[in-house]
Amino acid sequence: MRNWARGRGFFAGMAYLNVEGAIKHYGATTALNGVSFTVAKGEFFTLLGPSGCGKTTLLRSIAGFSQLSAGRVTLDGTDLLAVPPHKRDIGMVFQDYAIFPHLTVADNVAFGLKARKIAASEISDRVAEALATVRLSALSERLPAALSGGQQQRIGIARAMVVKPRLLLMDEPLSNLDAKLRLDLRDEIRDIQRTIGIAAIYVTHDQEEALAISDRICVMDSGSIEQIGTPQQIYGQPATRFVASFVGTMNLFAPAAFGLPDVPGVAQWALRPERLRLAEAGASDDSSFAGLVEHFTYLGREAHLTVQAQGHRLVAQIAAPPADLAIEAGREIQLSFDRADLQAFDAAGRRVRTERVA
Ligand SMILES: Nc1ncnc2c1ncn2[C@@H]1O[C@H](COP(=O)(O)OP(=O)(O)OP(=O)(O)O)[C@@H](O)[C@H]1O
Ligand SMILES: [Mg+2]
């Protein structure tokens, strides 16, 4: 049982990296607006947010490629900002691989070790080990141009790991790869990170990737943190309307819609598409309502419906649809939901805890 709570229980209170009040201005642009969080040893921590929210700025500031306007960063108890970038002992993996085209796979991986004046025999052992970890041993003498995108990014990962950094930073490492490779390499990155037990900060704007790979996710918007939590907390108990809509799809509707009572402080109700279900025709329990089908998409293991109802456009996701399920656009159907599945937000878009709406 304990392992299941790993995301929260295991990491709580064990700060390894500590970022406090990070602020970054570029002229009139505020890229980071007072960002604070901690990452535990061995934790996989993901920065998730829309383009321009400050993810890369935050990573570059931790690595030392960019200087914060204000704030404090400590790693294992020591002030990181006082250390020059090349002495911070941080590994970095970039979106565009950033490997040397004229060096073989093995020489690319060895590059950082040579720069550190490590003995040749140790270099070859460590390069071999890193290449085996990312499954590139057979290609060690190739030039990068003769490799696929996924293989090139494996070089990037091996090169970052081989110096045994104290922290691994990855900035959208999978975004140049096709969908299938993304999934494979995503799982590999997670396995490698767990095996070597390194603390990692991973940047993505892909919410599904973040849910799949992270111990904890930090959702950012416009230079500020909206919420930090386990994937389950971020998806199941979003702290703000922004998080609710950015991570997954959320149906939002007005307080008085669908026969719901007026609850003081609630400005908007929210319901995940998978919590809406098809009701029997003529069903009349108090949470069922009629809607007009706009689109119906059958995807095998699920089906998606867009429905117009009481002035709202709702999305419903039907799991394991019967094989003969087909609903034409324009048809009227009955939908229903459990009120216990509703979430609520106040006028400022913050989560409101509501007792079960009877
Ligand atoms: N060198 C720079 N000079 C001026 N403004 C910058 C600079 N770098 C970033 N910014 C601005 O700072 C903000 C944050 O940029 P950042 O690159 O950190 O976003 P991001 O979350 O990584 O976005 P993306 O998902 O597109 O990579 C943006 O408004 C961006 O335009
Ligand atoms: Mg970026």
Side-chain angles (χ1 to χ4, degrees):
M1 279 295 203
R2 259 189 87 82
N3 280 349
W4 294 358
R6 185 169 183 255
R8 194 185 181 93
F10 180 70
F11 292 110
M14 295 192 289
Y16 177 60
L17 176 77
N18 192 355
V19 176
E20 265 178 73
I23 292 176
K24 175 69 181 181
H25 301 293
Y26 290 109
T29 306
T30 301
L32 297 174
N33 194 11
V35 167
S36 302
F37 63 91
T38 61
V39 179
K41 218 166 196 163
E43 182 173 18
F44 201 109
F45 189 84
T46 296
L47 303 175
L48 172 69
S51 186
C53 73
K55 306 179 297 292
T56 295
T57 301
L58 188 49
L59 270 205
R60 290 175 54 86
S61 306
I62 295 168
F65 304 140
S66 166
Q67 282 202 327
L68 290 175
S69 310
R72 237 171 85 81
V73 181
T74 59
L75 183 62
D76 211 4
T78 59
D79 179 8
L80 200 60
L81 301 185
V83 180
H86 65 281
K87 296 217 168 118
R88 288 191 188 183
D89 219 355
I90 290 175
M92 183 120 186
V93 180
F94 302 90
Q95 174 178 351
D96 60 3
Y97 318 143
I99 50 185
F100 300 113
H102 60 288
L103 296 182
T104 63
V105 170
D107 287 341
N108 261 286
V109 176
F111 190 85
L113 296 174
K114 285 181 179 154
R116 283 172 168 76
K117 308 256 185 300
I118 289 168
S121 60
E122 189 184 339
I123 290 181
S124 68
D125 287 352
R126 278 168 69 173
V127 168
E129 187 191 343
L131 288 177
T133 308
V134 299
R135 300 193 292 125
L136 279 183
S137 305
L139 305 177
S140 66
E141 294 314 312
R142 285 227 195 139
L143 288 172
L147 298 178
S148 72
Q151 290 165 338
Q152 292 187 40
Q153 192 54 297
R154 286 202 179 89
I155 303 178
I157 296 164
R159 196 185 46 189
M161 289 176 5
V162 76
V163 298
K164 303 203 160 89
R166 294 191 294 165
L167 182 66
L168 183 61
L169 307 179
M170 292 173 274
D171 196 352
E172 310 225 19
L174 305 181
S175 58
N176 287 344
L177 303 175
D178 67 42
K180 168 85 173 80
L181 251 178
R182 276 182 87 114
L183 292 184
D184 291 349
L185 202 48
R186 174 182 96 187
D187 293 345
E188 275 180 50
I189 286 177
R190 185 55 166 134
D191 287 349
I192 292 168
Q193 180 269 343
R194 276 215 182 100
T195 308
I196 62 178
I198 194 172
I201 306 183
Y202 185 93
V203 166
T204 182
H205 57 252
D206 180 331
Q207 39 102 6
E208 193 184 300
E209 195 168 287
L211 291 172
I213 207 169
S214 315
D215 288 312
R216 284 188 307 155
I217 299 171
C218 170
V219 182
M220 295 177 64
D221 185 33
S222 308
S224 298
I225 293 177
E226 290 274 317
Q227 184 176 5
I228 298 176
T230 61
Q232 289 81 352
Q233 289 165 342
I234 296 287
Y235 187 83
Q237 298 151 50
T240 65
R241 191 173 47 211
F242 174 84
V243 175
S245 303
F246 190 75
V247 183
T249 305
M250 197 62 113
N251 293 304
L252 295 167
F253 41 84
F258 307 112
L260 290 166
D262 232 334
V263 176
V266 173
Q268 226 167 16
W269 296 108
L271 187 71
R272 292 287 186 197
E274 65 272 23
R275 301 295 177 187
L276 266 175
R277 54 179 182 266
L278 291 172
E280 297 296 315
S284 61
D285 65 86
D286 58 359
S287 67
S288 90
F289 58 92
L292 213 56
V293 175
E294 241 177 35
H295 292 291
F296 170 78
T297 314
Y298 179 80
L299 295 166
R301 63 179 173 183
E302 61 192 43
H304 294 174
L305 280 166
T306 353
V307 176
Q308 281 288 348
Q310 302 184 19
H312 294 80
R313 188 161 187 264
L314 303 176
V315 181
Q317 184 184 327
I318 315 294
D324 59 354
L325 184 70
I327 306 175
E328 325 78 270
R331 214 184 103 184
E332 188 179 285
I333 57 164
Q334 285 292 121
L335 290 167
S336 72
F337 59 88
D338 287 334
R339 289 183 174 181
D341 289 331
L342 287 171
Q343 307 194 34
F345 297 99
D346 67 15
R350 283 195 204 86
R351 181 181 185 78
V352 179
R353 300 202 176 280
T354 49
E355 294 308 312
R356 222 181 133 125
V357 190

